[in-house]
């Protein structure tokens, strides 16, 4: 009997010693983690896997700090097989999301949501885990998160983004506006609202929110392009020029930015600047150049260089034979260049040949009327 009790005591003492060592080891890990000695902490477990829950969690946190997420994930999985602790279950789920293991994340978060149905963050994260599946009910998760926490701005953003993707722009706009009542300077929501309005072609309102974004944050290139187009559409030519110049600072060799700013300069009457950018566009574009030549032709026309305008519009038509307005501008340049209207007649007759039977030709009435005037004039001149 004595031997039995002695053996039992020895086992209990051994277990207590192992537990104390494990607790000491976990405590040591936490201390090293607190002062940023991550490599030293990892060195304590070279070629071995920690045995206890606390050690595994502590080491997992260190691997996370070192951005070795795969190792952290394995340790969380091992630890949670032994003991389900809420905060670590949630960390594990977030780590799964970060590693794009959406199915596993969905499973963990679904259980968390079942266990804690009034936790807004759990249902929000559950919605994130379902995003890659493009589920049509995705809005329900983010809407529920907002119902549970009316200040959950990330849920507002995801809900508005969902509505944007399905082109329900009115709902997207309403959701963004509700969020901005909570935080009027929220970067992602201001940016999203501006793009929602832009996609809905309400350019005046879109530009207001683009400007608000520009006031507080660095504007990415894709957004700056939309700002430039909005300003051009609204015929705020000075503002459009400002935005295209900013785009050219980002990409000085973009033929499209040079082409677009040339178009704006032509509209504003600054033909020299239009010409300069059109030439730059031609230098940087190695495929079809018709639209650039068109802007260059307009600049020549605006500066009364009619001969150059004629040759430039000819290049446009050579590249794009159905470019109706190029025929119109070509004939206009020739009309202004030549006093002898017999030299102008072929340009208008060329338009007539190509577009007379095109029902929706935009300039047909004007061009055929001018053609008739020229023929009448030539007839009367010949009769003198």
């Amino acid at each position: 009997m004595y031997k039995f009790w002695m053996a039992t005591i020895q086992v209990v003492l051994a277990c207590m010693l192992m537990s104390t060592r494990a607790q000491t080891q976990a405590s040591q890990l936490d201390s090293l983690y607190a002062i940023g000695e991550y490599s030293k902490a990892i060195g304590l477990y070279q070629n071995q896997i920690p045995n206890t829950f606390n050690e595994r969690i502590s080491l997992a946190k260190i691997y996370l700090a070192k951005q070795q997420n795969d190792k952290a994930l394995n340790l969380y999985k091992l630890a949670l097989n032994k003991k389900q602790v809420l905060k670590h279950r949630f960390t594990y789920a977030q780590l799964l999301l970060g590693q794009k293991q959406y199915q596993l994340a969905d499973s963990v978060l679904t259980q968390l949501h079942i266990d804690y149905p009034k936790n807004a963050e759990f249902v929000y994260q559950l919605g994130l885990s379902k995003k890659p599946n493009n589920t049509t009910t995705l809005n329900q998760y983010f809407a529920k998160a907002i119902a549970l926490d009316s200040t959950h701005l990330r849920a507002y953003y995801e809900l508005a983004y969902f509505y944007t993707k399905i082109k329900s722009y009115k709902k997207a706009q309403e959701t963004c506006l509700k969020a901005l009542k909570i935080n009027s300077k929220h970067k992602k929501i201001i940016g999203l609202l501006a793009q929602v309005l832009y996609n809905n072609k309400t350019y005046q309102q879109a530009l207001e929110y683009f400007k608000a974004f520009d006031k507080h944050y660095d504007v990415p290139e894709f957004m700056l392009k939309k700002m430039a187009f909005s300003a051009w559409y609204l015929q705020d030519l000075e503002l459009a020029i400002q935005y295209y110049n900013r785009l050219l600072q980002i990409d000085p060799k973009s033929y499209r930015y040079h082409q677009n700013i040339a178009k704006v300069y032509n509209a504003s009457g600054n033909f020299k600047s239009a010409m300069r950018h059109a030439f730059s566009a031609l230098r940087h574009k190695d495929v079809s150049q018709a639209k650039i030549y068109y802007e260059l032709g307009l600049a020549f026309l605006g500066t009364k260089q009619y001969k150059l305008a004629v040759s430039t519009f000819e290049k446009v038509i050579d590249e794009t034979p159905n470019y109706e307005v190029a025929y119109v501008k070509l004939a206009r340049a020739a009309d202004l260049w030549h006093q002898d209207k017999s030299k102008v007649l072929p340009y208008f007759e060329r338009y007539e040949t190509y577009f007379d039977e095109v029902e929706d030709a935009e300039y047909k009435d004007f061009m055929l009327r001018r053609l008739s005037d020229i023929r009448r004039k030539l007839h009367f001149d010949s009769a003198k």
Side-chain angles (χ1 to χ4, degrees), residues 257-308:
Y257 297 157
H258 282 291
Q259 175 185 322
N260 287 342
I261 200 171
K263 179 171 65 177
V264 181
Y265 274 126
N266 271 328
S268 71
N270 187 341
F271 301 113
K272 287 186 178 179
S273 293
M275 210 179 297
R276 175 166 53 86
H277 284 285
F279 278 125
S280 294
L282 287 171
R283 282 198 301 273
H284 297 304
K285 194 169 193 290
D286 55 3
V287 289
S288 174
Q289 299 174 332
K291 288 184 178 179
I292 303 170
Y293 275 124
Y294 176 76
E295 294 301 333
L296 184 58
L298 288 182
F300 285 138
L301 194 58
T303 51
K304 300 182 180 180
Q305 299 182 68
Y306 301 127
K307 184 178 179 180
L308 285 172

Side-chain angles (χ1 to χ4, degrees), residues 86 89-91 93 107-117 119 122:
L86 175 59
R89 285 167 68 192
F90 185 47
T91 302
S107 176
V108 176
L109 287 161
T110 296
Q111 192 56 52
L112 281 169
H113 180 47
I114 290 168
D115 294 344
Y116 303 91
N119 186 304
F122 292 168

